[in-house]
Amino acid sequence: MDTPALLDVGMPAAPLDSSAAAALFDLPRAASASRIVVAMSGGVDSSVVAALAHASGAEVIGITLQLYDYGAATGRKGACCAGDDIRDARAVADRLGIAHYVFDHESAFREEVVEQFADEYLAGRTPVPCIRCNMGPKFTDLFRMARELGADCLATGHYVRRVTGADGVELHRAHDPARDQSYFLYGTTEAQLDYLRFPLGGMPKPQVRALAEAAGLRNAAKPDSQDICFVPDGNYAKIVTRVRPEGAAPGAIVHAATGEKLGEHKGIVHFTVGQRKGLEIGGQPEPLYVVGLDAPSREVRVGPKRMLAVTAAHLTETNRIGPLPDAPLTAKVRSLAKPVPVTLDGPLGDGAAVTIRFAEPEYGVAPGQAAVIYAGDRVIGGGWIGSTEKVEL
């Protein structure tokens, strides 16, 4: 629910008005009688959510899940759920005068997210660990904890909107397209969405930082999270080979059309479908891209851009949020991709396999990524890309 008093860029010096803050949480009863659990990562976004929850007059409990502790990563500013970030979350809770608990979930996170991340790369796929984390350790365990604590809702700092429609609650894109995180939350179930609150979905980031400053939070100017939280320097291959050393096994780079061997590589974990840079096979008559990865043979297959074109993607483990609308659908096949028109072949949701067909050929669709389906701003659901149908050349 959007509240103009909190969305006005020219807001007053003290914007944490109790009634406006309470409206952002859509509480089922009076704020003074309510309890809100806030997922606190230590970043500015979740800290502002805690400040808004506190300003509402509700009882607030902050929960931080310690998800990893990997050497240099624990001291990295702008990550989440480790080291300095946990200390920042605790400092914010102390500043607000709210309870704060830290739970060690490193083992579950390693098994469900980090090891699966490595295994996907070894299988020639391109994983999205942030979605796996939201579907696993973050939401599943946080929901259980929040309910055990008797909370009326669980609030997070995600930039998405929870909207009440004719058929119940819906998940919508954030108002600020530069901050929208709906791609990463397509796996949210209807029951989870009914309990979740996303008070930042109607705000631009400068507004959030202004709220942090007004509340006197120590992390008001903290940098945003970058890359994947457990990859401290952006070097995904290093993490994969640390977890699965066999990922460094060398292999051949071959031309997908001719079968000609063009070079050698140091492990398929360094490559993803659609990649152009880092191939180290100069002297070709035209630019070449990774068009396929064969994990058993450790082959990286390259070809011209036209060989990336696909007409359809086959999805697995699909989820649907609410009824399927009688409206044009679009899909994002990467987090930063633009939504493109699609149609569905088969039912979406309940884990069923379904095929999405693109109105125009789509390029760089990588198995392992998620395809998220929209009707306008509403998130309909999505699934994991298992395979694609290439354009016949």
Side-chain angles (χ1 to χ4, degrees), residues 188-266:
T188 305
T189 67
E190 292 177 15
Q192 289 174 336
L193 188 58
D194 189 60
Y195 193 58
L196 280 164
R197 299 296 187 271
F198 307 109
L200 305 188
M203 303 182 195
K205 188 60 177 259
Q207 189 83 2
V208 174
R209 292 200 182 278
L211 287 167
E213 292 176 2
L217 304 185
R218 63 179 270 176
N219 55 1
K222 186 174 182 176
D224 292 336
S225 298
Q226 300 292 329
D227 301 313
I228 297 170
C229 68
F230 58 88
V231 185
D233 57 2
N235 189 338
Y236 307 149
K238 183 171 69 176
I239 294 295
V240 174
T241 53
R242 181 185 302 171
V243 177
R244 298 285 188 264
E246 61 269 32
I253 300 176
V254 302
H255 198 292
T258 66
E260 177 187 0
K261 181 177 177 180
L262 303 178
E264 294 275 347
H265 66 77
K266 297 179 181 179

Side-chain angles (χ1 to χ4, degrees), residues 45 121 172 198 224 314 346-347 372:
D45 296 326
Y121 263 114
H172 286 235
F198 307 109
D224 292 336
H314 304 297
V372 180

Side-chain angles (χ1 to χ4, degrees), residues 9-362:
V9 174
M11 63 186 175
L16 301 184
D17 172 79
S18 61
S19 59
L24 288 171
F25 293 91
D26 191 23
L27 296 168
R29 52 182 176 165
S32 59
S34 298
R35 177 178 292 168
I36 301 172
V37 165
V38 178
M40 298 182 68
S41 68
V44 65
D45 296 326
S46 61
S47 297
V48 167
V49 171
L52 290 168
H54 178 63
S56 75
E59 178 188 1
V60 183
I61 299 174
I63 292 181
T64 300
L65 300 182
Q66 179 175 320
L67 300 179
Y68 68 97
D69 186 14
Y70 300 146
T74 61
R76 177 187 175 208
K77 286 287 186 181
C80 71
C81 310
D84 287 348
D85 305 291
I86 292 176
R87 287 187 283 275
D88 285 345
R90 187 173 297 282
V92 168
D94 289 344
R95 165 73 179 175
L96 298 173
I98 65 173
H100 178 247
Y101 303 102
V102 178
F103 294 91
D104 183 358
H105 271 53
E106 184 177 348
S107 178
F109 183 74
R110 182 180 178 89
E111 292 175 6
E112 298 177 33
V113 179
V114 180
E115 292 183 0
Q116 187 167 21
F117 174 81
D119 289 341
E120 286 282 276
Y121 263 114
L122 259 63
R125 297 159 61 84
T126 305
V128 191
C130 296
I131 295 177
R132 289 289 183 191
C133 185
N134 287 333
M135 295 170 67
K138 276 191 178 177
F139 278 3
T140 302
D141 296 335
L142 282 171
F143 266 81
R144 176 179 53 78
M145 294 176 187
R147 291 196 181 279
E148 288 176 352
L149 289 167
D152 293 272
C153 64
L154 170 64
T156 81
H158 289 100
Y159 284 84
V160 291
R161 290 180 296 137
R162 176 185 177 274
V163 176
T164 301
D167 297 300
V169 289
E170 301 171 351
L171 184 65
H172 286 235
R173 302 180 206 266
H175 272 312
D176 183 352
R179 304 299 307 175
D180 177 54
Q181 293 174 302
S182 60
Y183 177 86
F184 300 100
L185 294 177
Y186 83 86
T188 305
T189 67
E190 292 177 15
Q192 289 174 336
L193 188 58
D194 189 60
Y195 193 58
L196 280 164
R197 299 296 187 271
F198 307 109
L200 305 188
M203 303 182 195
K205 188 60 177 259
Q207 189 83 2
V208 174
R209 292 200 182 278
L211 287 167
E213 292 176 2
L217 304 185
R218 63 179 270 176
N219 55 1
K222 186 174 182 176
D224 292 336
S225 298
Q226 300 292 329
D227 301 313
I228 297 170
C229 68
F230 58 88
V231 185
D233 57 2
N235 189 338
Y236 307 149
K238 183 171 69 176
I239 294 295
V240 174
T241 53
R242 181 185 302 171
V243 177
R244 298 285 188 264
E246 61 269 32
I253 300 176
V254 302
H255 198 292
T258 66
E260 177 187 0
K261 181 177 177 180
L262 303 178
E264 294 275 347
H265 66 77
K266 297 179 181 179
I268 62 171
V269 299
H270 295 278
F271 303 93
T272 183
V273 170
Q275 180 177 335
R276 179 181 173 186
K277 296 181 179 179
L279 301 182
E280 298 181 356
I281 48 171
Q284 303 301 313
E286 59 182 330
L288 297 179
Y289 300 77
V290 176
V291 300
L293 297 168
D294 187 280
S297 67
R298 301 196 299 275
E299 275 190 359
V300 174
R301 295 170 181 168
V302 300
K305 185 176 181 179
R306 61 182 177 274
M307 295 188 72
L308 285 172
V310 303
T311 59
H314 304 297
L315 311 185
T316 63
E317 301 178 51
T318 64
N319 181 57
R320 190 183 73 241
I321 306 172
L324 194 65
D326 184 16
L329 301 178
T330 61
K332 291 179 66 171
V333 294
R334 296 175 302 281
S335 62
L336 299 179
K338 292 182 179 180
V340 295
V342 296
T343 56
L344 298 180
D345 284 358
L348 180 72
D350 297 322
V354 67
T355 297
I356 58 171
R357 299 200 176 276
F358 302 105
E360 299 290 339
E362 185 69 8

